Amino acid sequence: MNAALINRIAELRKLLNDYSYHYYVLDAPIVTDSEYDRLFKELQQLEEEHPDLITPDSPTQRVGEKAATQFKQVRHTIPMLSLDNAFTEDDVINFDRRIHERLGSDLPIEYVCEPKIDGLAVSLVYTDGILTQAATRGDGITGEDILQNVRTIQSIPLKLRSAHPPKIFEVRGEIYLPLVEFNKLNAEAAKKGEKGFVNPRNAAAGSLRQLDARITAKRSLSSFCYAAGEVKGFAMPDNHFAYLAKIKELGFRVNPNIEVVKGVEGCFAYYKKMMQLRPKLGYEIDGVVYKVNDLQLQRRLGFISRAPRWALAHKFAAAEEMTKLLNIEFQVGRTGALTPVARLEPVFVGGATVSNATLHNIDEVWRKDLRVGDTVIIRRAGDVIPEVVGVAMQFRPPHTKLIALPKHCPVCGSEIVKAEDEVIARCSGGLYCSAQRKESIKHFASRLAMDIIGLGDKLVEQLVDNNVVHNVADLYTLKTADLINLERMGEKSATKLIAAIEKSKSTTLSRFIYALGIREVGEATALSLALHFLDLKKLMHASFEELQNINDIGPVVAMHITTFFRQKHNCELITRLLDAGITWPKPETKQLPLTGQTYVLTGTLTSMTREEAKEKLQALGAKTSETVSKNTTYVVVGANPGSKLTKAEKLQVKIIDEQKLVTLLKTIKNE
Ligand code: 5U1
């Protein structure tokens, strides 16, 4: 056999395994996707020409070609344990107390704290470094052989990263479906008119229990490993944290949010931190796990029935609950968009009581086949908006009716229109509709628009309902006397509000454009328009073609802008606003220090809010965006960053912290 060929194949496998390890396990790619694909194809080609050189641990051999007929049973050499659950801080305090009593020690215990992944537990057995068995937990004694399916999961090594692997090395962990993949899967199902999965856990289980591993391979499952099973020929470290570091070295993905803490206080702080982080993780967790770090202490503590005495799962309040769907009502937004809202029997979920949930559009109601009287599953994780996941069909009462799209606006009675190819149905009443007027006034007064402090939603509703204000221009004719008779409004707050309205007259062109509430013109587009036209009149007379020449403005937005300024009543309103005294300085035209740069902000900043940071950057000529792309100049990362950080790392976009941003802003100002 040609030695050069054998060497090249070995080299390609090593390179591909290294690149996969950096990408899937360390979340820090070191080559481009195209380079990876090129080497992968080269290896595939060589193996096709020399099939005798194919080995099962080759990166090309993750997906088998044949479907199985059933899952074989596998007996776990060491039973797969479950965890005791804690639901309150007292449960955790008692767990810690029992440990102290058993060990006869008063010293604070060192715990390893880990997120509790809401996935499927798996056991992975490596024989002489090669993945030879993968099994579900089953009843803890016997599970199912899912080796072919697990081999398709890129973050699980087919071979240990070690020149001298242990004889037997069993690692345990969790397989899960990332939320983006779950949403993609359900969107595809919806497109085909099929029912999706109720939650990522079910989707992961469904994907893993496919007899045809080629289907599993398409689902982009991921994994985190966290425990040892049977080991032979491997010296266990002294503590669990060191064990986790070791398995990471050997090629397993270990959760990056694992911490060592002291005592229950440390555990509680971690619990709170993870609860905050939960909505930003990109995968589901249902609590955290505390484990005694010292492995010798773990051995001394031992087990009770099926659970170790040295570990505890501290669960979060359930993120999903069932409740009754009492009604579906339709709300009318600023642009007339009709949003169905589910009225629910109040239910405590994810740490709060939920009685309403938005359903976005009528297609969603039909797709989920929601009917009044149904028992529905509600999800609320962290501070995320509650969502109706689906119907528990087994509880559907007889004679329920399909929800119809109303023919007339529930607020003003105008006709409801819905284009065939659009998902949004709209009230055709325009500013005749008091709901649309209320929403347009709320938007006009909002913080990023005219920033009228004290003009909250409830007050706007009263002003419109009592016919005091009909449109945004009327705000500038308000007198204290018009306000003092309103609910919760004394003379002092009325005077304050009038002063705030007066103050709002001095603004910027971009804020004013944004405040007009033109469809699809958000703050960034408003800024682009202001910087391009510098003058409101020029924008009002701009043609469809001219608008499209501006960065970020496509035909749809251009159409909305021209349509807006073609309406006589909109132009009259603008004249009244300007006559009332709204002014702004001429926007800066000169090349600003950050012109041409784009910034994305993620996480919480401490020295300023994200909005303040954006305004400061924009004032220096930079663009700010919500999405990271190759064109992003810097991603500014605060505390608890979201998925934008991961994307920035993947795209190798430069990342700076808040301190660097502050220095940058200061330096430019002083130049
Ligand atoms: N993060 C984590 N989840 N989890 C589940 N660690 C962990 N450990 C487990 C289980 C069942 O069991 C070990 C304590 C054996």
Side-chain angles (χ1 to χ4, degrees):
M1 188 62 66
N2 178 343
L5 172 73
I6 294 174
N7 284 344
R8 180 61 183 159
I9 287 181
E11 183 186 30
L12 285 169
R13 286 179 187 162
K14 166 135 191 12
L15 281 175
L16 289 166
N17 280 335
D18 274 352
Y19 296 160
S20 282
Y21 176 67
H22 279 88
Y23 187 91
Y24 291 106
V25 176
L26 303 183
D27 284 325
I30 52 171
V31 283
T32 58
D33 291 356
S34 56
E35 173 66 0
Y36 183 92
D37 292 345
R38 197 182 62 72
L39 298 179
F40 192 88
K41 281 210 187 91
E42 186 186 339
L43 178 61
Q44 249 178 345
Q45 175 86 33
L46 293 177
E47 287 180 344
E48 229 166 76
E49 288 162 9
H50 305 277
D52 48 323
L53 295 180
I54 297 178
T55 56
D57 61 323
S58 169
T60 60
Q61 302 301 304
R62 282 196 173 266
V63 189
E65 291 298 316
K66 262 200 279 153
T69 47
Q70 60 166 31
F71 293 107
K72 279 191 295 194
Q73 298 277 301
V74 170
R75 207 179 156 79
H76 301 296
T77 315
I78 299 174
M80 276 182 87
L81 303 170
S82 51
L83 290 169
D84 259 350
N85 286 328
F87 297 96
T88 63
E89 290 200 346
D90 274 352
D91 293 343
V92 182
I93 291 168
N94 286 333
F95 160 79
D96 180 65
R97 183 182 44 75
R98 286 193 300 270
I99 288 178
H100 277 100
E101 282 169 5
R102 274 210 162 248
L103 296 176
S105 147
D106 285 338
L107 296 173
I109 301 287
E110 199 172 71
Y111 291 107
V112 174
C113 302
E114 306 176 8
K116 188 170 182 305
I117 314 296
D118 197 8
L120 288 110
V122 67
S123 139
L124 308 166
V125 179
Y126 291 77
T127 312
D128 295 320
I130 304 291
L131 177 64
T132 49
Q133 180 182 296
T136 60
R137 179 177 180 279
D139 61 6
I141 306 293
T142 312
E144 279 180 326
D145 172 5
I146 49 164
L147 178 62
Q148 293 316 318
N149 309 66
V150 164
R151 285 174 57 89
T152 68
I153 302 171
Q154 297 282 358
S155 59
I156 293 181
L158 298 178
K159 188 179 169 187
L160 296 181
R161 292 174 63 81
S162 164
H164 306 287
K167 184 81 201 130
I168 300 285
F169 195 72
E170 183 189 358
V171 173
R172 290 167 178 182
E174 207 88 359
I175 291 174
Y176 70 93
L177 191 65
L179 287 175
V180 272
E181 299 298 334
F182 169 69
N183 292 334
K184 237 196 270 170
L185 198 61
N186 272 2
E188 279 163 20
K191 238 194 238 160
K192 290 190 227 152
E194 292 168 3
K195 273 230 162 76
F197 289 102
V198 256
N199 56 39
R201 188 175 195 284
N202 284 11
S207 306
L208 213 48
R209 291 197 84 267
Q210 292 285 338
L211 288 168
D212 187 347
R214 284 168 293 191
I215 300 177
T216 315
K218 290 192 188 128
R219 300 282 169 88
S220 299
L221 292 163
S222 196
S223 65
F224 285 120
C225 288
Y226 50 64
E230 186 191 14
V231 288
K232 279 190 190 156
F234 174 78
M236 281 295 274
D238 292 342
N239 64 65
H240 179 60
F241 196 70
Y243 168 77
L244 293 175
K246 185 69 202 165
I247 61 172
K248 186 168 170 183
E249 242 176 68
L250 287 171
F252 298 94
R253 192 153 176 259
V254 173
N255 194 284
N257 296 302
I258 296 179
E259 286 178 23
V260 181
V261 304
K262 275 243 153 69
V264 281
E265 291 312 321
C267 292
F268 294 152
Y270 179 81
Y271 180 87
K272 288 191 188 105
K273 184 170 152 185
M274 287 314 293
M275 214 153 54
Q276 299 289 324
L277 214 54
R278 186 185 191 188
K280 298 175 190 140
L281 289 173
Y283 51 86
E284 297 271 22
I285 63 171
D286 58 352
V288 298
V289 181
Y290 310 131
K291 296 175 183 171
V292 171
N293 192 18
D294 187 324
L295 294 189
Q296 213 175 344
L297 295 187
Q298 283 192 7
R299 281 179 217 113
R300 275 175 61 193
L301 288 162
F303 306 88
I304 185 157
S305 80
R306 291 275 175 82
R309 285 201 188 88
W310 43 265
L312 184 74
H314 190 180
K315 302 289 278 268
F316 293 143
E320 279 186 7
E321 285 295 346
M322 289 202 279
T323 190
K324 269 258 155 54
L325 178 60
L326 302 176
N327 201 3
I328 292 184
E329 290 173 10
F330 289 84
Q331 279 179 352
V332 184
R334 176 166 56 87
T335 60
L338 223 54
T339 308
V341 179
R343 303 290 180 212
L344 306 161
E345 210 165 78
V347 61
F348 190 75
V349 52
T353 301
V354 172
S355 42
N356 303 305
T358 173
L359 296 164
H360 305 108
N361 56 60
I362 190 71
D363 281 8
E364 184 177 334
V365 176
W366 291 334
R367 195 174 61 246
K368 290 183 174 162
D369 189 16
L370 304 177
R371 303 187 192 188
V372 173
D374 270 339
T375 298
V376 288
I377 300 157
I378 305 297
R379 248 200 95 60
R380 183 185 175 278
D383 42 14
V384 168
I385 298 166
E387 179 198 3
V388 178
V389 179
V391 178
M393 283 296 174
Q394 67 274 32
F395 301 123
R396 171 164 283 176
H399 314 302
T400 52
K401 284 204 245 119
L402 274 176
I403 303 290
L405 180 67
K407 287 197 169 56
H408 299 283
C409 171
V411 178
C412 73
S414 301
E415 201 187 328
I416 296 294
V417 286
K418 179 175 179 287
E420 277 276 310
D421 54 342
E422 269 216 27
V423 285
I424 308 284
R426 287 176 203 278
C427 159
S428 59
L431 292 182
Y432 169 73
C433 178
S434 67
Q436 292 187 52
R437 276 189 280 127
K438 282 178 189 171
E439 293 310 310
S440 68
I441 297 169
K442 287 177 197 171
H443 172 78
F444 184 84
S446 64
R447 198 164 50 87
L448 300 175
M450 302 302 282
D451 194 20
I452 305 179
I453 295 160
L455 186 54
D457 291 0
K458 287 269 162 344
L459 192 53
V460 171
E461 275 160 32
Q462 282 193 71
L463 287 169
V464 175
D465 288 340
N466 294 342
N467 281 324
V468 181
V469 165
H470 300 91
N471 56 45
V472 293
D474 292 344
L475 293 173
Y476 293 94
T477 60
L478 279 177
K479 305 267 175 306
T480 321
D482 300 322
L483 299 171
I484 43 178
N485 292 329
L486 299 174
E487 260 172 54
R488 280 182 290 172
M489 180 62 76
E491 187 157 349
K492 211 165 148 195
S493 27
T495 314
K496 248 180 151 171
L497 180 60
I498 297 290
I501 294 174
E502 189 58 30
K503 186 165 172 242
S504 75
K505 286 182 181 172
S506 165
T507 185
T508 63
L509 177 57
S510 65
R511 274 178 177 269
F512 185 76
I513 296 170
Y514 174 65
L516 292 175
I518 305 167
R519 264 176 77 183
E520 311 227 359
V521 175
E523 358 140 27
T525 309
L527 181 68
S528 298
L529 290 168
L531 291 176
H532 182 87
F533 291 103
L534 306 173
D535 180 77
L536 183 64
K537 286 243 159 51
K538 286 200 182 122
L539 165 65
M540 290 171 77
H541 294 113
S543 69
F544 180 67
E545 288 72 27
E546 186 179 1
L547 285 163
Q548 282 189 83
N549 285 335
I550 304 170
N551 235 354
D552 297 339
I553 295 189
V556 176
V557 183
M559 192 261 298
H560 288 318
I561 297 171
T562 48
T563 309
F564 183 90
F565 289 116
R566 237 186 285 128
Q567 313 296 311
K568 207 167 139 225
H569 61 87
N570 286 337
C571 296
E572 284 168 3
L573 207 61
I574 291 172
T575 308
R576 279 188 62 202
L577 288 169
L578 299 182
D579 287 349
I582 293 181
T583 55
W584 50 83
K586 202 169 164 59
E588 286 279 358
T589 50
K590 66 173 193 290
Q591 184 83 359
L592 292 165
L594 300 183
T595 302
Q597 298 194 6
T598 305
Y599 287 70
V600 175
L601 293 103
T602 178
T604 313
L605 304 181
T606 49
S607 61
M608 59 189 130
T609 66
R610 281 227 294 261
E611 290 318 326
E612 283 165 353
K614 277 189 202 171
E615 282 194 356
K616 285 182 186 175
L617 287 164
Q618 287 168 0
L620 292 166
K623 261 180 41 179
T624 57
S625 168
E626 289 305 313
T627 39
V628 181
S629 77
K630 286 208 168 104
N631 299 329
T632 308
T633 317
Y634 287 113
V635 173
V636 183
V637 179
N640 299 332
S643 59
K644 290 173 195 165
L645 173 59
T646 324
K647 184 139 183 226
E649 285 168 346
K650 272 210 171 117
L651 293 177
Q652 299 184 335
V653 170
K654 285 189 195 134
I655 295 163
I656 58 171
D657 60 14
E658 182 175 354
Q659 194 48 49
K660 284 230 175 72
L661 173 71
V662 172
T663 316
L664 176 91
L665 293 171
K666 249 194 214 145
T667 319
I668 294 173
K669 252 185 146 175
N670 294 337
E671 269 172 7

